[in-house]
Amino acid sequence: MELVLNEEQTMLDQTAKNFIKDNSPITRVRKLRDDGDPLGYSKEMWKKMAELGWTSILFSEEDGGMGLGMAEVVLVTEAMGRGLAPEPFLGTVMLAGQALSIGGSPELREQWLGPIIEGEKALAMAYQEKGGRYDITRIKTSAKKTTNNYLLIGEKTQVLDGFGADAIIVSARTSGEDGEAEGITLFLIPAGTPGMTVTRQWRLDSRNVALVQLKDVEVPESNIVGTVGKGGQLLSQVIDQATVALCGEMLGGMSAAFDRTLGYLKERVQFDVVIGTFQALKHRAAKMFMEIELARSVVMAAARTLDGNDANKEILVSTAKARCSDAYILVTNEAVQMLGGIGMTDEEDTGFYMKRARAAEMTFGDATYHKDRFAALKGY
Amino acid sequence: MSELEDFRASVRSWLEENAPKSIRGKVRDPALAYWGGRKTPLPFPEAKVWLDMMAEKGWTVPFWPKEYGGGGLNKEENKIFNQEMARLELPPPLTGFGITMIGPTVLQYGTEEQKKKYIGEIVRGEVRWCQGYSEPNAGSDLANIQTKAVVDGDDYILNGQKIWTSYGDLADWMFLLVRTDPGVKKQVGITFLLLDMETKGVEVRPIKLISGNSPFCEVFFEDVRVPQKNVLNRVNGGWEVAKALLGHERTMIANAFGGRVAPEKAENPMEAAARKYIGFRDGKIADSVIRDRMAQNQMDESCFLLTVQRNSDNIKAGHRPGPETSIFKVYGTELNQRRMELMLSILGPECLGWEGEGFEQGELDLCRVWLRSRGNTLEGGTSEIQLNIIAKQVLGLPDK
């Protein structure tokens, strides 16, 4: 594993950062929020991102992708994180797309992966339920076998990129008890299927998340993604990858928030000097810088261990998520403190990063959750 | 390519044949490090033979120029050499400030005569060096040194005092900063001198620390004569040399940390201690707060080592060292302190033993090592000074 960008990666990094800088300033996110845009992102922008190849990075060449890895994905999500670009990368590409890519039948892959890569269709993965916190096995949604189909009943919350999605993959229990890893199955349900209601939920970060209610939804067996009863394992694998993609986004977000703070420290004058001359603030800025540097290293490493399918990949995924969660919160909390009253206003962009930091922290497990998982994986 | 492979084969067979059996597989045992010089005791019986054998080939510092006694290896050869040393897990035959600090600085600033003398002595491990920087009134404000050097014929006459001199009592020579011009800006009136510790008027007194050990000394100078030819670089050009030396020191610290990126042992010492002093319940450490702190500490360490690796991978790829280099000293030392504090918590009351009956050796050692670790964030530039450096040089925050 080498923690350095090769020439192609350096180019991708530069292109992605420039694209976001030129096309996705915070004013865009602000407008989507102020308009109460139900989709929360721009379909046109998503299409442009697809044209840049971002949606195809991780998919195999057979499926029409580039066959690259997480080392490349985190460069794209980092750029998106800098501008808080809300396009449905996590839901469509990392969760539903990867679940299909790994576990989907040839028919399902044929039907869905092309449109995903083209940026034509958005998909989502509904795995989270109220009260389940970060444990994907604690689900009450059930799927009962009928003669030819499965009948799904249940409710999923905060489904990432779920509102307006063309299809939603739902985790449901086909056997076993609440909390058991075995007995979970993933079902792909196209939008408009009778009995499925998708309602937009509004969180502090105004991202597209949805409440998905299932009342006797009939799903044919052919829409099962992966193996019956083994959906939990597939979901874990996909979520680990998505976690690192999210870490890339968090790294970009904390870097941008830090740059903003640093700029303010150099221009804000009090007591006739810029406040960046004060040692109390200098030291705190230096500490934030250290945390961001450490986060960068572990995000690069986690991406590469996933690409290499290394034995310690889960340990590094947890290390990366715990680090990025803590660092993003530290940096954005400090940013508001250093910006003073201005940091508390809605007019200042820093609040957007602080809100996103919290939402990202509590997606795929917070720092405490990942420390617990880390310790368990280490055998203590 | 085949030339390099030939080189590898020759290094391998030479090491196989000559490296003492007793030190193979002990690369990470700090007790085997040999600091050389006339006063340092041998860490193991074959240390001197191993040193002489390696020095004759220039392999104590394999990448230094051959004309001054180094091994003259180029980058690729040096990499191969290190790989072959690692293959047998051999500790380096020699360590110390000669190799890491003053040697590279003499190569950069020394006259031909100085290079011939000092580099040769370092390579052969004949001389152990110490660093004469800090003074009672020049700690973080290093440029405030007051040890005076006044010209008298061919010599300087030195009067003053150094403090916190690491292993001053075991060193043969000292490189030091002295004030040669008190009438100019602090940084401008400083000269970099090389001093034989045997010179009349030099007095060394070890300082007893809170750990009970004395790794540091005070060094007093009373009318000490130093030949003018012992000036490195020009007179009043010492501050520049001091900064360059700091750069060599940081590179070495980074490399030293880099060397620590190694496959983990089955169970690390912290986990073993938790098993012994706290115990497990349902497959987890019984104290869930300690367990959480351990995970945090190990994650911090992992992120830190990955950052060191990122830096060295970056350099290997031909890029300049990135800003991440600046965090090594402050983060590495604070991490070590947190680790020590956590170890105390894990041992509980057993960590309080100072000496004598009723405590195991490991318990007594931890107490001392913890106390010693409190100095990590002071020596070599306090954490506060390091944070100032990051704020100014990396983040561009102004002084006024």
Side-chain angles (χ1 to χ4, degrees):
Chain A
M1 175 176 71
E2 292 212 334
L3 299 181
V4 63
L5 301 186
N6 63 31
E7 259 178 63
E8 292 79 16
Q9 289 164 344
T10 305
M11 261 186 36
L12 176 63
D13 182 49
Q14 288 306 321
T15 324
K17 280 197 183 121
N18 288 336
F19 178 83
I20 290 295
K21 200 170 133 220
D22 298 340
N23 298 280
S24 185
I26 300 297
T27 46
R28 186 171 77 89
V29 186
R30 182 185 289 280
K31 182 160 190 332
L32 286 164
R33 182 201 66 175
D34 291 348
D35 292 350
D37 189 302
L39 204 53
Y41 63 84
S42 147
K43 282 191 171 176
E44 271 181 3
M45 184 64 71
W46 184 231
K47 184 87 181 135
K48 278 191 199 166
M49 290 173 174
E51 280 161 12
L52 286 170
W54 294 0
T55 49
S56 64
I57 291 174
L58 211 46
F59 295 105
S60 68
E61 289 177 33
E62 279 171 23
D63 286 331
M66 294 190 205
L68 293 170
M70 289 302 298
E72 284 78 19
V73 164
V74 292
L75 299 175
V76 165
T77 55
E78 183 188 340
M80 291 176 77
R82 289 193 72 93
L84 295 176
E87 275 60 37
F89 196 89
L90 282 180
T92 301
V93 174
M94 296 308 304
L95 292 171
Q98 281 303 298
L100 282 165
S101 167
I102 297 167
S105 65
E107 292 75 24
L108 285 177
R109 296 218 309 271
E110 171 80 36
Q111 185 184 351
W112 293 102
L113 291 186
I116 287 177
I117 290 170
E118 296 297 315
E120 300 286 350
K121 296 226 150 112
L123 274 75
M125 173 74 80
Y127 63 92
Q128 187 175 329
E129 296 189 8
K130 270 192 188 296
R133 292 182 69 85
Y134 310 116
D135 186 348
I136 58 160
T137 68
R138 282 179 54 196
I139 53 170
K140 296 193 173 69
T141 299
S142 66
K144 291 212 171 63
K145 186 121 174 46
T146 61
T147 334
N148 298 313
N149 297 321
Y150 282 85
L151 208 59
L152 270 71
I153 300 172
E155 184 178 285
K156 299 285 177 178
T157 188
Q158 297 192 37
V159 177
L160 301 176
D161 307 320
F163 188 79
D166 297 287
I168 296 177
I169 300 177
V170 174
S171 68
R173 198 159 276 292
T174 41
S175 65
E177 297 294 316
D178 191 13
E180 277 179 20
E182 297 290 319
I184 296 169
T185 306
L186 303 181
F187 297 88
L188 184 143
I189 311 177
T193 302
M196 179 165 80
T197 321
V198 181
T199 314
R200 178 73 147 94
Q201 286 175 298
W202 291 93
R203 300 193 310 198
L204 80 173
D205 64 343
S206 69
R207 285 288 172 98
N208 178 333
V209 291
L211 183 70
V212 176
Q213 290 161 306
L214 306 155
K215 284 182 189 140
D216 296 331
V217 180
E218 269 194 85
V219 185
E221 204 165 338
S222 57
N223 273 17
I224 287 175
V225 180
T227 316
V228 174
K230 299 285 180 196
Q233 289 82 340
L234 175 56
L235 190 53
S236 296
Q237 186 187 345
V238 169
I239 284 182
D240 265 0
Q241 287 198 128
T243 302
V244 174
L246 175 60
C247 286
E249 188 216 297
M250 296 167 88
L251 178 63
M254 69 179 89
S255 303
F258 181 61
D259 290 350
R260 174 88 193 90
T261 311
L262 210 50
Y264 190 76
L265 293 180
K266 291 176 190 173
E267 69 187 28
R268 167 74 171 166
V269 174
Q270 286 285 276
F271 306 104
D272 303 324
V273 290
V274 294
I275 59 174
T277 57
F278 301 144
Q279 205 174 34
L281 299 185
K282 276 184 174 171
H283 284 188
R284 283 159 65 179
K287 284 187 174 166
M288 285 194 266
F289 168 76
M290 293 201 287
E291 292 300 323
I292 297 170
E293 286 298 314
L294 294 185
R296 178 169 300 284
S297 309
V298 71
V299 169
M300 288 178 82
R304 283 157 179 75
T305 54
L306 283 172
D307 290 339
N309 199 22
D310 298 354
N312 64 344
K313 62 183 177 185
E314 289 168 311
I315 285 177
L316 271 168
V317 169
S318 279
T319 308
K321 185 57 170 54
R323 189 100 227 153
C324 288
S325 296
D326 286 343
Y328 203 175
I329 288 166
L330 171 83
V331 169
T332 50
N333 281 354
E334 286 283 75
V336 169
Q337 178 68 20
M338 291 187 185
L339 263 69
I342 286 185
M344 288 298 292
T345 65
D346 185 64
E347 194 190 345
E348 162 59 41
D349 292 340
T350 298
F352 283 79
Y353 289 99
M354 189 163 81
K355 290 167 180 171
R356 182 58 190 157
R358 282 293 161 178
E361 174 204 14
M362 293 179 193
T363 301
F364 309 139
D366 61 6
T368 307
Y369 169 85
H370 280 286
K371 275 193 274 179
D372 178 64
R373 187 171 95 140
F374 176 97
L377 288 164
K378 286 270 185 179
Y380 63 80
Chain B
M1 200 63 206
S2 76
E3 251 175 57
L4 282 180
E5 286 316 305
D6 287 349
F7 173 74
R8 182 189 296 279
S10 74
V11 172
R12 181 173 296 188
S13 67
W14 191 88
L15 288 176
E16 292 272 15
E17 206 169 304
N18 294 289
K21 295 265 186 305
S22 57
I23 58 168
R24 297 184 190 194
K26 295 196 172 158
V27 64
R28 274 183 297 169
D29 187 346
L32 290 187
Y34 183 38
W35 289 67
R38 294 189 289 270
K39 303 173 196 167
T40 310
L42 293 181
F44 56 96
E46 304 92 331
K48 187 76 173 74
V49 185
W50 174 227
L51 170 71
D52 289 346
M53 266 189 318
M54 291 287 274
E56 197 175 319
K57 299 189 79 78
W59 285 356
T60 46
V61 200
F63 50 89
W64 279 0
K66 221 179 172 79
E67 50 184 316
Y68 305 119
L73 304 189
N74 63 31
K75 253 187 177 169
E76 288 79 29
E77 290 168 336
N78 191 46
K79 195 172 161 188
I80 289 174
F81 175 82
N82 286 333
Q83 286 167 349
E84 291 306 312
M85 287 285 283
R87 204 180 67 89
L88 292 182
E89 295 185 53
L90 291 166
L94 185 66
T95 186
F97 298 168
I99 296 178
T100 58
M101 296 193 213
I102 188 63
T105 312
V106 167
L107 283 171
Q108 188 178 350
Y109 288 100
T111 61
E112 197 55 30
E113 192 188 345
Q114 286 173 331
K115 288 186 207 173
K116 283 222 163 73
K117 172 176 165 58
Y118 297 115
I119 298 298
E121 288 172 353
I122 292 169
V123 167
R124 294 189 297 274
E126 291 165 1
V127 165
R128 178 171 180 170
W129 285 84
C130 64
Q131 180 181 39
Y133 273 24
S134 295
E135 294 183 9
N137 288 313
S140 288
D141 184 10
L142 183 61
N144 197 39
I145 55 134
Q146 281 151 24
T147 293
K148 235 186 259 171
V150 180
V151 174
D152 183 62
D154 289 341
D155 298 334
Y156 278 105
I157 297 186
L158 246 60
N159 278 288
Q161 182 199 342
K162 295 289 172 184
I163 194 169
W164 306 120
T165 311
S166 302
Y167 303 106
D169 52 339
L170 295 175
D172 308 295
W173 277 68
M174 172 189 271
F175 54 92
L176 73 163
L177 300 176
V178 295
R179 184 148 310 279
T180 34
D181 189 347
V184 291
K185 191 176 166 236
K186 283 196 289 194
Q187 284 83 355
V188 180
I190 293 173
T191 298
F192 196 102
L193 273 185
L194 309 174
L195 163 74
D196 184 343
M197 296 288 277
E198 296 294 309
T199 314
K200 187 165 169 270
V202 177
E203 193 197 341
V204 181
R205 287 185 212 153
I207 303 167
K208 189 172 172 184
L209 298 186
I210 49 178
S211 62
N213 298 328
S214 306
F216 297 106
C217 297
E218 290 178 288
V219 182
F220 299 88
F221 311 109
E222 198 185 335
D223 296 330
V224 175
R225 282 192 170 269
V226 184
Q228 285 199 39
K229 66 175 167 58
N230 287 15
V231 171
L232 193 63
N233 197 20
R234 58 188 172 78
V235 174
N236 293 332
W239 192 244
E240 179 194 343
V241 184
K243 281 199 285 188
L245 186 139
L246 202 64
H248 295 305
E249 186 181 0
R250 291 212 180 112
T251 311
M252 283 297 170
I253 289 173
N255 288 344
F257 279 119
R260 285 175 52 201
V261 185
E264 287 184 41
K265 288 181 194 159
E267 189 174 47
N268 80 17
M270 194 182 282
E271 286 167 41
R275 193 172 292 281
K276 176 171 172 182
Y277 291 95
I278 297 174
F280 276 53
R281 194 182 304 135
D282 301 329
K284 295 178 182 179
I285 293 166
D287 183 327
S288 61
V289 177
I290 294 275
R291 178 173 179 264
D292 184 80
R293 283 174 66 193
M294 271 176 61
Q296 182 68 57
N297 200 277
Q298 292 188 351
M299 283 180 163
D300 288 350
E301 180 175 29
S302 159
C303 292
F304 177 66
L305 293 178
L306 287 167
T307 306
V308 174
Q309 185 193 334
R310 177 156 68 88
N311 177 60
S312 83
D313 287 352
N314 212 20
I315 292 167
K316 271 187 235 155
H319 306 300
R320 276 183 305 172
E324 67 275 5
T325 322
S326 62
I327 77 171
F328 294 157
K329 164 65 170 68
V330 56
Y331 198 89
T333 52
E334 295 192 352
L335 172 66
N336 189 47
Q337 289 182 339
R338 287 202 296 279
R339 184 165 39 221
M340 289 300 144
E341 301 283 331
L342 178 51
M343 282 299 282
L344 294 190
S345 299
I346 292 171
L347 264 69
E350 313 309 333
C351 79
L352 299 174
W354 187 252
E355 61 192 4
E357 293 301 302
F359 294 102
E360 293 176 18
Q361 193 55 48
E363 295 164 354
L364 296 171
D365 289 346
L366 175 67
C367 180
R368 309 278 181 133
V369 173
W370 160 66
L371 284 162
R372 176 65 188 84
S373 77
R374 299 315 306 171
N376 294 161
T377 46
L378 302 172
E379 58 211 333
T382 62
S383 286
E384 288 72 18
I385 289 291
Q386 303 295 331
L387 293 174
N388 283 349
I389 292 172
I390 295 172
K392 184 175 176 180
Q393 295 182 0
V394 182
L395 305 181
L397 292 172
D399 278 339
K400 49 182 168 263

